[in-house]
Amino acid sequence: MEITTNQNPLITRWLDMLWAERGASAHTRDAYGRDLRAFATFCDEQCGRDLLGMGRTQVQQYLASRHKAGRSARSSARALASLRSFYRYCLRQGLIQEDPVALIENPKLPKPLPKSLSEADVEALLGAPDTETPIGMRDRTMLELLYACGLRVTELVELSVSQVNLRQGVVRVFGKGSKERLVPMGEAAQEWLQRYLHATRPQLLPPGDSDTCFPGRAGRPMARQTFWYRIKHWAGVAGIEKPLSPHTLRHAFATHLLNHGADLRVVQLLLGHSDLSTTQIYTQVAKARLQALHREHHPRG
């Protein structure tokens, strides 16, 4: 059965299946259809075969031709996903005896760079809460500590007063796998935390003992989602339009340290990464920032 780009009943039946059995949207079906029609053209013009006559070698040749043509790994990964779905359908229908895509590995996709904030954005965000109110003072202190220490949001909302040493200026953090690390706060965060603990925290706690550093309702630790909403609120007040999450300040902490010359292994220890390769992605962020500054300010950038 010969399938061409102009007459492809098999591709049409497969796309209909995607809609009927999997509820695929029109956008998905259009994208997958383009992928298969492009592959069908390659089959006919480069291999002299139809879709059902293609083997693993020919599929690999097709992927290599895409790479040579400058197509991105992400684009080729989607094209390969289209081929996987199509040939699995053909196998179920008994149209082929062997799936030519089964043993082909997906292209390695580059890790996306963490979303970060400029130092000016961070200053605007930190200055947004109204510190004349107990809630604003609490949120300002949380933001200061999150940025100063590069904490994960879970580490921040679950922080207890007993983990804070104001005299030494460090926070004892229990990260993933209950791994303990000591993180310096810096003078600014230390001052905000001291003011908050002495004057504001008692106003937020109901009667009774509690070791929760940043209480939410009824003195219980704040939920991660609640703090995420608080950050979104203060980002709006600060006029920051880029997408934000509690993890964004952790990324900013690491990126700004590296931009100012910090050693990668020091940043690894502060973040609590067990593997240096996890931290190395921040060098890409710093590099991207330096390249942008070079393009903007260098006469031959």
Side-chain angles (χ1 to χ4, degrees), residues 206-224:
D209 295 333
S210 174
D211 197 32
T212 300
C213 191
F214 300 109
R217 291 184 178 180
R220 292 189 296 268
M222 186 185 301
R224 292 182 305 167

Side-chain angles (χ1 to χ4, degrees), residues 13-282:
R13 292 203 303 272
W14 167 66
L15 293 174
D16 288 343
M17 180 278 298
L18 291 178
W19 172 77
E21 296 183 11
R22 303 183 186 179
S25 66
H27 176 77
T28 298
R29 297 198 308 275
D30 286 344
Y32 275 30
R34 287 194 299 271
D35 290 337
L36 258 294
R37 285 188 287 273
F39 182 57
T41 298
F42 178 85
C43 296
D44 180 41
E45 296 180 356
Q46 303 297 322
C47 303
R49 302 187 181 193
D50 61 26
L51 286 170
L52 300 180
M54 296 292 278
R56 186 167 72 242
T57 299
Q58 287 75 36
V59 174
Q60 290 172 327
Q61 290 173 349
Y62 174 64
L63 295 174
S65 72
R66 291 178 60 88
H67 178 74
K68 186 177 181 180
R71 305 297 293 271
S72 69
R74 193 169 301 278
S75 172
S76 291
R78 194 200 68 186
L80 186 57
S82 303
L83 297 183
R84 285 193 197 284
S85 176
F86 173 75
Y87 280 113
R88 284 172 183 169
Y89 167 78
C90 292
L91 197 63
R92 291 197 307 270
Q93 297 295 314
L95 300 174
I96 56 175
Q97 300 299 314
E98 184 178 348
D99 184 351
V101 189
L103 299 180
I104 297 179
E105 296 183 358
N106 290 324
K108 290 185 177 181
L109 300 179
K111 291 183 178 180
L113 295 179
K115 295 178 180 177
S116 187
L117 292 173
S118 68
E119 293 182 37
D121 285 338
V122 170
E123 289 297 330
L125 179 63
L126 295 179
D130 178 8
T131 55
E132 297 299 318
T133 67
I135 295 298
M137 184 67 177
R138 180 201 64 189
D139 290 357
R140 171 67 185 261
T141 306
M142 294 181 78
L143 291 171
E144 289 279 355
L145 203 59
L146 191 67
Y147 176 60
C149 300
L151 302 181
R152 299 179 178 93
V153 63
T154 301
E155 297 168 348
L156 178 70
V157 298
E158 294 182 354
L159 191 70
S160 63
V161 176
S162 59
Q163 292 174 243
V164 175
N165 190 322
L166 287 172
R167 182 172 59 84
Q168 296 183 359
V170 297
V171 177
R172 184 162 51 97
V173 180
F174 297 96
K176 291 183 178 180
S178 298
K179 292 180 180 178
E180 182 179 341
R181 70 185 191 277
L182 290 176
V183 185
M185 286 184 269
E187 292 183 3
Q190 189 174 347
E191 290 175 3
W192 280 102
L193 187 57
Q194 185 167 12
R195 289 172 55 189
Y196 163 78
L197 290 176
H198 290 167
T200 307
R201 180 174 173 272
Q203 301 179 50
L204 300 174
L205 284 170
D209 295 333
S210 174
D211 197 32
T212 300
C213 191
F214 300 109
R217 291 184 178 180
R220 292 189 296 268
M222 186 185 301
R224 292 182 305 167
Q225 292 84 353
T226 300
F227 186 57
W228 179 65
Y229 286 123
R230 302 304 300 164
I231 284 185
K232 288 184 65 177
H233 168 73
W234 295 124
V237 172
I240 299 173
E241 298 180 355
K242 62 187 67 174
L244 226 65
S245 75
H247 224 63
T248 308
L249 280 175
R250 178 169 161 89
H251 297 321
F253 161 83
T255 305
H256 297 170
L257 278 175
L258 290 169
N259 284 344
H260 286 276
D263 183 82
L264 185 63
R265 291 195 177 276
V266 172
V267 177
Q268 176 192 2
L269 292 172
L270 293 174
L271 290 172
H273 287 161
S274 57
D275 190 342
L276 184 62
S277 63
T278 309
T279 313
Q280 284 175 330
I281 191 170
Y282 291 102

